[in-house]
Amino acid sequence: MIDLAEQINAVRRDLGTRVFGPGEARVSTISQTYDADVEDVWDACTNPDRLPRWFLPVTGDLAVGGKYQLQGNASGTIERCDPPKSFFATWEFNGMVSWIDVRVAPEAEGGTRLELEHIAHVDDDLWAQFGPGATGIGWDLALLGLAGHLAPGEPAVTPQNADAWSVSPEGVAFVRAAAQRWRAAHVASGTDEETAGAAFERVTAFYTTALEG
């Protein structure tokens, strides 16, 4: 079983910007090292038979140029793929298009590091309202699911019990802890404490209300 405090601490979260497409984009990066080899982590992230066991069911053509659909969530097009190292795809959700850049690499001290960059042109007002936690918390939940999938034994959180777990005291505490870490990344990127704190409160309320609903 995954220790949730250890899981929060195992994840690295960074924020930055880059010129991408029509202008400057915000880049949220999340990463974690898993006690598994590169091929296993890659397969877990790209095999349509394994994805539903820790993330979401996926349909479509999982090849370069192919379109995918995650059940009840994002869709997109796979633009680049270099197995078992990386893939790059659009992330289309709620009428907005962003991009994900996923990289898998061995660590010098053992294990495999999964790093995901979420690249998006985000309206300044929306960013000020919810901050990086708007998407970051969801990615934290995904990395938690992957950690349980790759660890030996029965995972505590699976797609089948995720809804019930998310509204439990343990699930709400995890969401709040992840939101706190994104708040810290927000401040580290240059945002003042008051603005980052207000965004943290709003995004935490949004996630916990949505989960409870």
Side-chain angles (χ1 to χ4, degrees):
M1 183 179 293
I2 301 297
D3 181 286
L4 297 181
E6 289 183 5
Q7 173 64 24
I8 288 290
N9 291 331
V11 173
R12 178 171 177 173
R13 306 160 189 85
D14 296 292
L15 300 175
T17 59
R18 73 165 68 160
V19 176
F20 187 85
E24 188 172 78
R26 300 185 189 276
V27 183
S28 300
T29 305
I30 187 168
S31 60
Q32 181 173 356
T33 298
Y34 295 97
D35 186 17
D37 59 35
V38 166
E39 289 73 16
D40 191 24
V41 175
W42 176 262
D43 189 66
C45 293
T46 59
N47 186 332
D49 293 327
R50 291 182 69 178
L51 279 166
R53 291 157 57 188
W54 66 272
F55 191 40
L56 290 167
V58 62
T59 55
D61 180 13
L62 302 187
V64 174
K67 296 185 180 299
Y68 71 89
Q69 174 67 61
L70 291 164
Q71 183 175 298
N73 203 289
S75 61
T77 300
I78 299 169
E79 298 189 347
R80 298 194 301 272
C81 186
D82 182 18
K85 298 177 181 178
S86 65
F87 68 86
F88 186 90
T90 63
W91 184 266
E92 302 172 30
F93 185 70
N94 260 1
M96 295 184 288
V97 180
S98 54
W99 296 263
I100 55 170
D101 191 355
V102 179
R103 296 182 292 272
V104 178
E107 288 281 68
E109 297 180 358
T112 297
R113 190 160 196 82
L114 173 71
E115 183 172 83
L116 181 147
E117 287 186 347
H118 194 160
I119 306 159
H121 298 103
V122 183
D123 177 83
D124 287 345
D125 290 340
L126 184 62
W127 184 260
Q129 185 176 7
F130 292 110
T135 55
I137 293 170
W139 291 123
D140 256 286
L141 289 165
L143 265 58
L144 169 64
L146 182 57
H149 176 67
L150 293 172
E154 189 68 23
V157 184
T158 67
Q160 292 71 35
N161 71 10
D163 287 346
W165 179 84
S166 295
V167 297
S168 69
E170 188 177 43
V172 170
F174 180 85
V175 166
R176 190 168 184 84
Q180 281 278 21
R181 295 305 178 92
W182 284 108
R183 183 203 64 76
H186 204 182
V187 172
S189 73
T191 301
D192 66 85
E193 289 274 2
E194 183 178 356
T195 300
F200 156 75
E201 293 294 348
R202 283 190 288 265
V203 78
T204 303
F206 173 82
Y207 265 90
T208 54
T209 301
L211 293 172
E212 289 169 355

